[in-house]
Amino acid sequence: MAALKITRENFNKEVMESDVPVLLDFWAPWCGPCRMVGPIIDQLSEEVEGKAKIGKVNVDEQTELAAAFRVSSIPTLAVVKDGKVTAIQIGARSKNDMKNMLGL
């Protein structure tokens, strides 16, 4: 399963009400490091299916979500578990780092 496109409209259902941890990738198409992380995010979304969700938030389109997470630099990765932010990392990360953030 590919990473979910997270928007203001589906944020509560897909992230806040999720029964599994959610890794959010805050990105933009013009961001070089974000494009490097993109394939890793897609691989990870398949590997963790059923154990976690992976979502992508385009900061240019979802300015309110970016502001709510205080995103000042991208890529920014955030984990939400049980409706609470449990981890935030700024910058490109390895797949293992992302798994560790999710507790997997």
Side-chain angles (χ1 to χ4, degrees), residues 23-84:
L23 176 73
L24 296 174
D25 171 27
F26 290 89
W27 72 287
W30 47 263
C31 166
C34 299
R35 288 196 306 270
M36 289 173 28
V37 169
I40 297 169
I41 291 289
D42 290 336
Q43 285 176 7
L44 187 62
S45 67
E46 292 182 16
E47 288 181 23
V48 302
E49 192 170 351
K51 297 180 273 186
K53 288 185 188 177
I54 309 296
K56 293 176 70 72
V57 181
N58 183 325
V59 297
D60 290 338
E61 297 173 355
Q62 302 299 321
T63 55
E64 289 177 31
L65 288 178
F69 280 80
R70 295 186 175 102
V71 174
S72 60
S73 182
I74 54 174
T76 291
L77 302 171
V79 174
V80 178
K81 289 182 188 175
D82 301 320
K84 296 179 182 67

